[in-house]
Amino acid sequence: MTSPQALKRPLSEMPCNPSRIHLSYELEAALGNDDHEDTLEKWRLVVHLGEGFGLEDFPPCDECTVRWNRIEERGGFVDEDDECVHRLHVGTLELVKVRWGGSQNPFWAMEEESQNLYEIAETIFNDERTGFTEEFEELAEWGGSDVLVLDKAEIVESWRGFGLGPMLAADAFRRLAAGCGAVVVHPAPIDARGMTAEERDRACDRLRATWATLGFIPYADTPYMIFATCWADPEKKQYALRKASRELYAAWRSAQQEG
């Protein structure tokens, strides 16, 4: 496998066979589909291990161990193979598709949804909230009326360092970016509490380097990065990442044999 980015850890340290990794896409919406939900499509990509591997290789997490001990102390029965879902979890990506043709003005929908989306909206919409800024439209060369925001990306610690984050994001963009002129991300740590300013800056630099492997570039004088769906460079980089993900099992097996 020719990896699009340098791995921080050897593939031989992967917790298990990467071909067991499954992706589940979930759309959060009510049957009534109110104006807000019609404007913001909230997608969640859950990355988990499927069937066919030995659970004995994955000890239960501390949280479940404590809970199980309490159940057994009361005389209850615990089926450990079924009840510790945490050891099956690999990561989560949360994305929001902002639909210009929805039932609500997308700026106000983003403002209502979260502080992060509101701050992005403040950056990409014009002062009248009737459209995007000229700079944003020009940069994106407008290949669609919607915008996809990568709102959160988190890989559990045991699976970090193998380049999975960009691979998963490349898969998500291929599936969800149809009709979008641009994709936006805020490269910042999910939880910066306890970090010094210097530590946070270093974390942001690492994240910017990670998202650059997907074709993101800095957007004007803002903390955000974007790419236009009509640009050739992001498509080439994301194709390379998707190709690497398909070759991941062979690379892992080779690393196991060499180790």
Side-chain angles (χ1 to χ4, degrees):
M1 177 185 69
T2 302
S3 176
Q5 60 174 353
L7 301 183
K8 298 177 182 177
R9 296 169 62 189
L11 289 176
S12 58
E13 294 183 6
M14 266 193 170
C16 77
N17 180 347
S19 68
R20 304 301 183 192
I21 296 176
H22 289 220
L23 312 183
S24 298
Y25 283 84
E26 303 170 357
L27 173 62
E28 182 183 338
L31 181 62
N33 199 30
D34 62 21
D35 291 350
H36 187 80
E37 291 176 336
D38 187 49
T39 304
L40 299 184
E41 289 184 6
K42 293 184 286 184
W43 289 89
R44 192 166 186 258
L45 168 54
V46 179
V47 189
H48 58 93
L49 298 178
E51 298 178 356
F53 62 92
L55 279 173
E56 63 276 4
D57 296 331
F58 294 85
C61 66
D62 293 341
E63 178 184 344
C64 285
T65 299
V66 170
R67 180 168 56 85
W68 292 348
N69 289 339
R70 289 174 181 167
I71 293 173
E72 290 176 342
E73 287 171 0
R74 296 195 298 266
F77 172 75
V78 172
D79 184 348
E80 297 186 4
D81 284 350
D82 292 335
E83 293 195 21
C84 183
V85 297
H86 304 95
R87 58 179 161 181
L88 307 182
H89 188 61
V90 176
T92 305
L93 272 66
E94 295 179 6
L95 303 99
V96 180
K97 189 177 218 179
V98 182
R99 301 182 60 244
W100 188 256
S103 304
Q104 185 180 9
N105 182 298
F107 176 89
W108 302 118
M110 294 174 75
E111 180 193 43
E112 293 172 8
E113 182 62 29
S114 70
Q115 182 67 23
N116 185 46
L117 289 181
Y118 168 61
E119 291 174 358
I120 292 174
E122 284 271 277
T123 301
I124 66 175
F125 284 91
N126 61 29
D127 293 339
E128 295 76 24
R129 316 310 188 199
T130 56
F132 299 105
T133 64
E134 291 184 7
E135 183 178 24
F136 187 76
E137 289 193 358
E138 182 178 349
L139 187 62
E141 300 174 27
W142 219 236
S145 60
D146 301 336
V147 174
L148 185 65
V149 177
L150 177 56
D151 200 31
K152 177 182 178 182
E154 186 171 19
I155 305 297
V156 299
E157 187 171 355
S158 60
W159 284 97
R160 293 175 189 166
F162 306 113
L164 287 177
M167 291 181 188
L168 297 169
D171 187 272
F173 298 156
R174 181 176 67 86
R175 298 177 189 276
L176 302 180
C180 295
V183 182
V184 181
V185 66
H186 183 193
I190 294 174
D191 187 357
R193 290 175 298 181
M195 285 186 176
T196 65
E198 185 179 351
E199 289 171 338
R200 188 182 186 282
D201 288 344
R202 285 200 301 266
C204 290
D205 287 342
R206 289 193 296 268
L207 288 169
R208 279 190 284 267
T210 295
W211 296 127
T213 65
L214 289 121
F216 282 98
I217 65 169
Y219 174 57
D221 188 22
T222 77
Y224 307 111
M225 300 180 76
I226 80 162
F227 72 81
T229 55
C230 61
W231 291 352
D233 183 58
E235 176 54 33
K236 291 178 181 177
K237 289 180 175 178
Q238 291 169 36
Y239 174 81
L241 285 162
R242 295 194 298 270
K243 185 173 183 291
S245 67
R246 292 193 294 269
E247 297 172 350
L248 194 57
Y249 167 68
W252 171 82
R253 186 175 181 181
S254 176
Q256 292 290 315
Q257 292 172 345
E258 292 174 2

